[in-house]
PDB file of all heavy atoms in Angstrom:
ATOM      1  N   ARG P   1       0.812  -1.227  -0.023  1.00 90.00           N
ATOM      2  CA  ARG P   1       0.043  -0.027  -0.001  1.00 90.00           C
ATOM      3  C   ARG P   1       0.883   1.291  -0.011  1.00 90.00           C
ATOM      4  O   ARG P   1       2.053   1.209   0.379  1.00 90.00           O
ATOM      5  CB  ARG P   1      -0.865   0.016   1.230  1.00 90.00           C
ATOM      6  CG  ARG P   1      -1.896  -1.172   1.369  1.00 90.00           C
ATOM      7  CD  ARG P   1      -3.146  -0.874   0.527  1.00 90.00           C
ATOM      8  NE  ARG P   1      -4.145  -1.838   0.720  1.00 90.00           N
ATOM      9  CZ  ARG P   1      -5.167  -1.693   1.620  1.00 90.00           C
ATOM     10  NH1 ARG P   1      -5.196  -0.664   2.397  1.00 90.00           N
ATOM     11  NH2 ARG P   1      -6.025  -2.659   1.747  1.00 90.00           N
ATOM     12  N   SER P   2       0.258   2.362  -0.403  1.00 91.00           N
ATOM     13  CA  SER P   2       0.927   3.657  -0.286  1.00 91.00           C
ATOM     14  C   SER P   2       0.830   4.104   1.200  1.00 91.00           C
ATOM     15  O   SER P   2      -0.223   4.509   1.576  1.00 91.00           O
ATOM     16  CB  SER P   2       0.273   4.699  -1.170  1.00 91.00           C
ATOM     17  OG  SER P   2       0.414   4.307  -2.532  1.00 91.00           O
ATOM     18  N   ALA P   3       1.923   4.028   1.894  1.00 93.00           N
ATOM     19  CA  ALA P   3       1.938   4.348   3.303  1.00 93.00           C
ATOM     20  C   ALA P   3       3.334   4.816   3.703  1.00 93.00           C
ATOM     21  O   ALA P   3       4.327   4.391   3.174  1.00 93.00           O
ATOM     22  CB  ALA P   3       1.498   3.150   4.161  1.00 93.00           C
ATOM     23  N   ILE P   4       3.400   5.714   4.671  1.00 94.00           N
ATOM     24  CA  ILE P   4       4.648   6.213   5.197  1.00 94.00           C
ATOM     25  C   ILE P   4       4.621   6.082   6.711  1.00 94.00           C
ATOM     26  O   ILE P   4       3.869   6.765   7.412  1.00 94.00           O
ATOM     27  CB  ILE P   4       4.909   7.652   4.806  1.00 94.00           C
ATOM     28  CG1 ILE P   4       4.965   7.798   3.286  1.00 94.00           C
ATOM     29  CG2 ILE P   4       6.142   8.133   5.405  1.00 94.00           C
ATOM     30  CD1 ILE P   4       5.195   9.224   2.811  1.00 94.00           C
ATOM     31  N   ALA P   5       5.500   5.233   7.275  1.00 92.00           N
ATOM     32  CA  ALA P   5       5.606   5.104   8.703  1.00 92.00           C
ATOM     33  C   ALA P   5       6.605   6.135   9.205  1.00 92.00           C
ATOM     34  O   ALA P   5       7.731   6.258   8.632  1.00 92.00           O
ATOM     35  CB  ALA P   5       6.037   3.664   9.056  1.00 92.00           C
ATOM     36  N   VAL P   6       6.245   6.830  10.238  1.00 94.00           N
ATOM     37  CA  VAL P   6       7.141   7.829  10.814  1.00 94.00           C
ATOM     38  C   VAL P   6       7.683   7.346  12.128  1.00 94.00           C
ATOM     39  O   VAL P   6       6.987   7.355  13.169  1.00 94.00           O
ATOM     40  CB  VAL P   6       6.389   9.197  10.971  1.00 94.00           C
ATOM     41  CG1 VAL P   6       7.290  10.217  11.621  1.00 94.00           C
ATOM     42  CG2 VAL P   6       5.853   9.723   9.643  1.00 94.00           C
ATOM     43  N   ASP P   7       8.950   6.931  12.097  1.00 90.00           N
ATOM     44  CA  ASP P   7       9.640   6.530  13.313  1.00 90.00           C
ATOM     45  C   ASP P   7      10.522   7.750  13.731  1.00 90.00           C
ATOM     46  O   ASP P   7      10.484   8.828  13.125  1.00 90.00           O
ATOM     47  CB  ASP P   7      10.438   5.265  13.138  1.00 90.00           C
ATOM     48  CG  ASP P   7      11.575   5.411  12.122  1.00 90.00           C
ATOM     49  OD1 ASP P   7      11.736   6.477  11.520  1.00 90.00           O
ATOM     50  OD2 ASP P   7      12.304   4.399  11.984  1.00 90.00           O
ATOM     51  N   THR P   8      11.394   7.518  14.678  1.00 92.00           N
ATOM     52  CA  THR P   8      12.277   8.572  15.143  1.00 92.00           C
ATOM     53  C   THR P   8      13.246   9.088  14.088  1.00 92.00           C
ATOM     54  O   THR P   8      13.548  10.267  13.976  1.00 92.00           O
ATOM     55  CB  THR P   8      13.088   8.198  16.364  1.00 92.00           C
ATOM     56  OG1 THR P   8      13.880   6.974  16.053  1.00 92.00           O
ATOM     57  CG2 THR P   8      12.211   7.890  17.569  1.00 92.00           C
ATOM     58  N   HIS P   9      13.674   8.166  13.213  1.00 93.00           N
ATOM     59  CA  HIS P   9      14.608   8.509  12.124  1.00 93.00           C
ATOM     60  C   HIS P   9      13.894   9.385  11.098  1.00 93.00           C
ATOM     61  O   HIS P   9      14.400  10.484  10.665  1.00 93.00           O
ATOM     62  CB  HIS P   9      15.175   7.288  11.449  1.00 93.00           C
ATOM     63  CG  HIS P   9      16.041   6.457  12.311  1.00 93.00           C
ATOM     64  ND1 HIS P   9      17.162   6.875  12.916  1.00 93.00           N
ATOM     65  CD2 HIS P   9      15.859   5.091  12.689  1.00 93.00           C
ATOM     66  CE1 HIS P   9      17.690   5.929  13.668  1.00 93.00           C
ATOM     67  NE2 HIS P   9      16.962   4.831  13.459  1.00 93.00           N
ATOM     68  N   VAL P  10      12.732   8.940  10.687  1.00 95.00           N
ATOM     69  CA  VAL P  10      11.952   9.688   9.705  1.00 95.00           C
ATOM     70  C   VAL P  10      11.548  11.052  10.174  1.00 95.00           C
ATOM     71  O   VAL P  10      11.635  12.110   9.528  1.00 95.00           O
ATOM     72  CB  VAL P  10      10.751   8.916   9.199  1.00 95.00           C
ATOM     73  CG1 VAL P  10       9.842   9.752   8.245  1.00 95.00           C
ATOM     74  CG2 VAL P  10      11.132   7.623   8.520  1.00 95.00           C
ATOM     75  N   PHE P  11      11.194  11.081  11.454  1.00 96.00           N
ATOM     76  CA  PHE P  11      10.787  12.400  12.072  1.00 96.00           C
ATOM     77  C   PHE P  11      11.951  13.359  12.114  1.00 96.00           C
ATOM     78  O   PHE P  11      11.836  14.523  11.719  1.00 96.00           O
ATOM     79  CB  PHE P  11      10.323  12.140  13.504  1.00 96.00           C
ATOM     80  CG  PHE P  11       9.627  13.305  14.167  1.00 96.00           C
ATOM     81  CD1 PHE P  11       8.263  13.532  14.064  1.00 96.00           C
ATOM     82  CD2 PHE P  11      10.394  14.170  14.898  1.00 96.00           C
ATOM     83  CE1 PHE P  11       7.684  14.656  14.655  1.00 96.00           C
ATOM     84  CE2 PHE P  11       9.828  15.348  15.539  1.00 96.00           C
ATOM     85  CZ  PHE P  11       8.457  15.523  15.443  1.00 96.00           C
ATOM     86  N   ARG P  12      13.103  12.871  12.542  1.00 95.00           N
ATOM     87  CA  ARG P  12      14.318  13.704  12.675  1.00 95.00           C
ATOM     88  C   ARG P  12      14.810  14.213  11.302  1.00 95.00           C
ATOM     89  O   ARG P  12      14.978  15.430  11.105  1.00 95.00           O
ATOM     90  CB  ARG P  12      15.438  12.908  13.336  1.00 95.00           C
ATOM     91  CG  ARG P  12      16.736  13.683  13.472  1.00 95.00           C
ATOM     92  CD  ARG P  12      17.797  12.926  14.209  1.00 95.00           C
ATOM     93  NE  ARG P  12      18.313  11.706  13.435  1.00 95.00           N
ATOM     94  CZ  ARG P  12      17.976  10.486  13.682  1.00 95.00           C
ATOM     95  NH1 ARG P  12      17.151  10.178  14.665  1.00 95.00           N
ATOM     96  NH2 ARG P  12      18.487   9.499  12.957  1.00 95.00           N
ATOM     97  N   VAL P  13      14.895  13.301  10.268  1.00 95.00           N
ATOM     98  CA  VAL P  13      15.408  13.648   9.012  1.00 95.00           C
ATOM     99  C   VAL P  13      14.446  14.646   8.309  1.00 95.00           C
ATOM    100  O   VAL P  13      14.910  15.604   7.682  1.00 95.00           O
ATOM    101  CB  VAL P  13      15.631  12.468   8.161  1.00 95.00           C
ATOM    102  CG1 VAL P  13      15.996  12.813   6.717  1.00 95.00           C
ATOM    103  CG2 VAL P  13      16.775  11.602   8.747  1.00 95.00           C
ATOM    104  N   SER P  14      13.179  14.393   8.433  1.00 96.00           N
ATOM    105  CA  SER P  14      12.189  15.261   7.813  1.00 96.00           C
ATOM    106  C   SER P  14      12.337  16.732   8.248  1.00 96.00           C
ATOM    107  O   SER P  14      12.170  17.672   7.569  1.00 96.00           O
ATOM    108  CB  SER P  14      10.777  14.727   8.108  1.00 96.00           C
ATOM    109  OG  SER P  14      10.597  13.471   7.473  1.00 96.00           O
ATOM    110  N   HIS P  15      12.641  16.868   9.608  1.00 95.00           N
ATOM    111  CA  HIS P  15      12.805  18.235  10.140  1.00 95.00           C
ATOM    112  C   HIS P  15      14.153  18.819   9.738  1.00 95.00           C
ATOM    113  O   HIS P  15      14.258  19.949   9.296  1.00 95.00           O
ATOM    114  CB  HIS P  15      12.598  18.252  11.620  1.00 95.00           C
ATOM    115  CG  HIS P  15      11.168  18.250  12.045  1.00 95.00           C
ATOM    116  ND1 HIS P  15      10.449  19.382  12.064  1.00 95.00           N
ATOM    117  CD2 HIS P  15      10.337  17.192  12.439  1.00 95.00           C
ATOM    118  CE1 HIS P  15       9.197  19.103  12.468  1.00 95.00           C
ATOM    119  NE2 HIS P  15       9.105  17.805  12.690  1.00 95.00           N
ATOM    120  N   ARG P  16      15.185  17.987   9.851  1.00 93.00           N
ATOM    121  CA  ARG P  16      16.563  18.499   9.545  1.00 93.00           C
ATOM    122  C   ARG P  16      16.697  18.931   8.149  1.00 93.00           C
ATOM    123  O   ARG P  16      17.347  19.990   7.845  1.00 93.00           O
ATOM    124  CB  ARG P  16      17.549  17.403   9.891  1.00 93.00           C
ATOM    125  CG  ARG P  16      17.910  17.374  11.425  1.00 93.00           C
ATOM    126  CD  ARG P  16      19.043  16.376  11.600  1.00 93.00           C
ATOM    127  NE  ARG P  16      19.486  16.368  13.033  1.00 93.00           N
ATOM    128  CZ  ARG P  16      20.319  15.502  13.504  1.00 93.00           C
ATOM    129  NH1 ARG P  16      20.850  14.537  12.759  1.00 93.00           N
ATOM    130  NH2 ARG P  16      20.631  15.501  14.788  1.00 93.00           N
ATOM    131  N   LEU P  17      16.068  18.236   7.190  1.00 94.00           N
ATOM    132  CA  LEU P  17      16.186  18.567   5.790  1.00 94.00           C
ATOM    133  C   LEU P  17      15.177  19.578   5.355  1.00 94.00           C
ATOM    134  O   LEU P  17      15.121  19.961   4.188  1.00 94.00           O
ATOM    135  CB  LEU P  17      16.071  17.284   4.930  1.00 94.00           C
ATOM    136  CG  LEU P  17      17.207  16.294   5.055  1.00 94.00           C
ATOM    137  CD1 LEU P  17      16.992  15.092   4.072  1.00 94.00           C
ATOM    138  CD2 LEU P  17      18.569  16.906   4.787  1.00 94.00           C
ATOM    139  N   GLY P  18      14.389  20.027   6.276  1.00 93.00           N
ATOM    140  CA  GLY P  18      13.338  21.027   5.898  1.00 93.00           C
ATOM    141  C   GLY P  18      12.249  20.430   5.004  1.00 93.00           C
ATOM    142  O   GLY P  18      11.578  21.202   4.224  1.00 93.00           O
ATOM    143  N   LEU P  19      11.967  19.158   5.157  1.00 95.00           N
ATOM    144  CA  LEU P  19      10.904  18.528   4.328  1.00 95.00           C
ATOM    145  C   LEU P  19       9.554  18.805   4.927  1.00 95.00           C
ATOM    146  O   LEU P  19       8.493  18.705   4.243  1.00 95.00           O
ATOM    147  CB  LEU P  19      11.093  16.992   4.297  1.00 95.00           C
ATOM    148  CG  LEU P  19      12.393  16.544   3.609  1.00 95.00           C
ATOM    149  CD1 LEU P  19      12.497  14.985   3.661  1.00 95.00           C
ATOM    150  CD2 LEU P  19      12.506  16.993   2.154  1.00 95.00           C
ATOM    151  N   VAL P  20       9.529  19.185   6.190  1.00 95.00           N
ATOM    152  CA  VAL P  20       8.318  19.519   6.897  1.00 95.00           C
ATOM    153  C   VAL P  20       8.528  20.829   7.629  1.00 95.00           C
ATOM    154  O   VAL P  20       9.659  21.147   8.027  1.00 95.00           O
ATOM    155  CB  VAL P  20       7.862  18.406   7.871  1.00 95.00           C
ATOM    156  CG1 VAL P  20       7.619  17.102   7.080  1.00 95.00           C
ATOM    157  CG2 VAL P  20       8.884  18.134   8.978  1.00 95.00           C
ATOM    158  N   PRO P  21       7.458  21.561   7.938  1.00 94.00           N
ATOM    159  CA  PRO P  21       7.653  22.827   8.757  1.00 94.00           C
ATOM    160  C   PRO P  21       7.808  22.476  10.206  1.00 94.00           C
ATOM    161  O   PRO P  21       7.495  21.387  10.650  1.00 94.00           O
ATOM    162  CB  PRO P  21       6.288  23.546   8.459  1.00 94.00           C
ATOM    163  CG  PRO P  21       5.305  22.429   8.200  1.00 94.00           C
ATOM    164  CD  PRO P  21       6.078  21.363   7.443  1.00 94.00           C
ATOM    165  N   LYS P  22       8.213  23.457  10.966  1.00 93.00           N
ATOM    166  CA  LYS P  22       8.412  23.240  12.402  1.00 93.00           C
ATOM    167  C   LYS P  22       7.083  22.890  13.107  1.00 93.00           C
ATOM    168  O   LYS P  22       7.121  22.278  14.158  1.00 93.00           O
ATOM    169  CB  LYS P  22       8.964  24.504  13.031  1.00 93.00           C
ATOM    170  CG  LYS P  22      10.394  24.758  12.663  1.00 93.00           C
ATOM    171  CD  LYS P  22      10.962  26.015  13.316  1.00 93.00           C
ATOM    172  CE  LYS P  22      12.462  26.301  12.952  1.00 93.00           C
ATOM    173  NZ  LYS P  22      12.979  27.488  13.633  1.00 93.00           N
ATOM    174  N   THR P  23       6.039  23.384  12.479  1.00 96.00           N
ATOM    175  CA  THR P  23       4.660  23.079  13.065  1.00 96.00           C
ATOM    176  C   THR P  23       4.284  21.638  12.998  1.00 96.00           C
ATOM    177  O   THR P  23       3.288  21.194  13.633  1.00 96.00           O
ATOM    178  CB  THR P  23       3.654  23.964  12.415  1.00 96.00           C
ATOM    179  OG1 THR P  23       3.685  23.768  11.002  1.00 96.00           O
ATOM    180  CG2 THR P  23       3.796  25.450  12.770  1.00 96.00           C
ATOM    181  N   ALA P  24       5.003  20.884  12.140  1.00 96.00           N
ATOM    182  CA  ALA P  24       4.734  19.430  12.055  1.00 96.00           C
ATOM    183  C   ALA P  24       5.374  18.717  13.234  1.00 96.00           C
ATOM    184  O   ALA P  24       6.400  18.028  13.125  1.00 96.00           O
ATOM    185  CB  ALA P  24       5.223  18.876  10.720  1.00 96.00           C
TER     186      ALA P  24
END
């Protein structure tokens, strides 16, 4: 299925690379 699991690694990288806003 089309799905994205957000663990600690995904959460951290998404913020560090600016893939998501700080409000996420």
Side-chain angles (χ1 to χ4, degrees):
R1 298 279 189 91
S2 297
I4 298 178
V6 178
D7 65 357
T8 56
H9 296 301
V10 175
F11 189 90
R12 179 178 67 255
V13 172
S14 296
H15 279 279
R16 279 187 176 170
L17 292 183
L19 300 178
V20 299
K22 292 182 179 180
T23 53

